[in-house]
Amino acid sequence: MFRGGPISVAEYMEEVLTNPKAGFYINRDVFGAEGEFITSPEVSQMFGEMVGVWAMCLWEQMGQPNRMNLVELGPGRGTLMVDLLRWSFFFPGSAKFKSFTESLHVHLVECSPALQKLQHQNLKCMAEDSTGENVEKRTISTLAGTPVSWHAALEQVPSGIPTIIIAHEFCDALPVHQFQPTPATLFLVKRCKWAAAEEQEKLEHIEAIRKHKFINIFDNLGTADLSAYVDFSSVRHSAEEASGAEPCHLGLLNSSLLKYFKHENE
Ligand code: SAH
């Protein structure tokens, strides 16, 4: 019961994670060994560097555009982007790396003011020097001289130029709906059919994690992460549908790469 009546599972997740006053992500840094959970970019800098290699290959396949949006959804501490930019900027001696870095405008989609501030710090951002009046100052990451902008939602990111979107441990934080199987809701089952058979059962699960342990999802709201199982096959289909005639490449990191990182750090 909430606000005097029942609410949906999706409303519950949204309130617990992103309520502007007390949401789990809103006021603090929740990552790392000292925090509530740890993610791959926080484990090894190689993670962001490898995503950088992937992004540069995709940029090449796009025909090396002069301007490209590099969007990250839910950047956390900003560690993945820090490692990606540092790697591409300092990689020795190739003009290609330089053109890649110079083409980038980084857009970070982040709902948490506290995490936006941390990302700004970690990316070593500064206001660009501008001469003359009426010149809008841009924020530049001094790690690679790249412009960086923040947005509360993906719809606010400017479109119309080639774009790469990175989302690491983001989709599982988005509110999900749960439906009871009645004749009226059966059409929704179609969307779940994209998930592999062994994964379909997991789609019903929402988990809560505090101090690296699974806990009850109703325990002390706003102090634990809520995470929904993501059907990436559906994400792929929706991205392809939304991009229409534009080419859309969806790279999904698979578990063997993640196991490799884990192994390297043991
Ligand atoms: N990518 C990072 C952090 C993952 S945690 C990593 O792997 O370490 C999820 C991130 O998404 C956090 O930065 C959180 O504040 C942000 N987030 C969660 N829900 C969001 C929403 N609805 N809109 C924008 N950002 C959101």
Side-chain angles (χ1 to χ4, degrees):
M1 296 288 276
F2 194 70
R3 278 191 238 119
I7 57 169
S8 68
V9 172
E11 279 177 283
Y12 179 75
M13 270 188 91
E14 191 178 339
E15 284 296 327
V16 170
L17 294 180
T18 59
N19 176 288
K21 281 207 181 111
F24 173 70
Y25 285 115
I26 296 301
N27 300 313
R28 64 200 176 103
D29 175 7
V30 295
F31 307 98
E34 300 293 303
E36 313 300 341
F37 60 92
I38 195 153
T39 57
S40 308
E42 302 298 331
V43 173
S44 163
Q45 72 183 58
M46 278 172 64
F47 190 84
E49 293 170 355
M50 296 298 285
V51 176
V53 175
W54 169 80
M56 201 186 79
C57 291
L58 211 52
W59 169 80
E60 264 196 296
Q61 284 172 31
M62 290 173 177
Q64 307 193 356
N66 296 334
R67 287 178 61 229
M68 183 174 78
N69 284 339
L70 182 62
V71 181
E72 186 176 359
L73 309 179
R77 286 176 168 169
T79 309
L80 187 155
M81 194 56 77
V82 166
D83 293 332
L84 185 156
L85 290 180
R86 212 177 26 207
W87 161 83
S88 57
F89 191 65
F90 286 110
F91 203 85
S94 154
K96 202 197 303 172
F97 286 95
K98 195 163 174 276
S99 333
F100 169 66
T101 319
E102 282 174 0
S103 76
L104 299 179
H105 188 138
V106 170
H107 294 274
L108 302 178
V109 176
E110 175 58 68
C111 64
S112 159
L115 291 176
Q116 282 195 6
K117 208 167 151 202
L118 197 58
Q119 292 151 17
H120 189 280
Q121 261 170 29
N122 289 343
L123 283 158
K124 304 204 183 326
C125 284
M126 290 176 57
E128 186 182 43
D129 269 351
S130 57
T131 44
E133 280 172 26
N134 300 327
V135 180
E136 210 181 302
K137 278 199 178 172
R138 298 190 307 172
T139 303
I140 301 287
S141 164
T142 54
L143 291 177
T146 315
V148 183
S149 310
W150 277 266
H151 312 270
L154 179 58
E155 299 82 82
Q156 295 164 8
V157 175
S159 54
I161 64 168
T163 299
I164 293 179
I165 302 180
I166 298 168
H168 187 255
E169 302 274 359
F170 173 77
C171 297
D172 65 328
L174 295 179
V176 292
H177 289 287
Q178 284 189 338
F179 296 93
Q180 298 211 336
T182 67
T185 56
L186 269 182
F187 76 99
L188 287 163
V189 173
K190 180 178 145 271
R191 294 198 84 84
C192 298
K193 286 248 167 75
W194 284 317
E198 67 276 13
E199 296 199 328
Q200 288 192 13
E201 209 177 289
K202 299 185 204 155
L203 291 174
E204 291 168 16
H205 291 164
I206 296 174
E207 288 166 336
I209 300 152
R210 186 192 304 130
K211 294 274 171 227
H212 310 269
K213 293 209 172 75
F214 291 112
I215 56 156
N216 186 296
I217 65 164
F218 298 111
D219 191 28
N220 210 352
L221 310 191
T223 63
D225 187 31
L226 291 185
S227 173
Y229 193 82
V230 180
D231 174 2
F232 284 106
S233 308
S234 296
V235 174
R236 180 191 295 277
H237 276 84
S238 303
E240 282 165 357
E241 256 171 41
S243 68
E246 298 297 322
C248 168
H249 309 264
L250 199 72
L252 293 177
L253 282 178
N254 68 23
S255 54
S256 52
L257 185 64
L258 297 179
K259 276 186 200 137
Y260 171 78
F261 283 119
K262 192 162 174 280
H263 178 73
E264 280 290 292
N265 285 281
E266 271 168 6

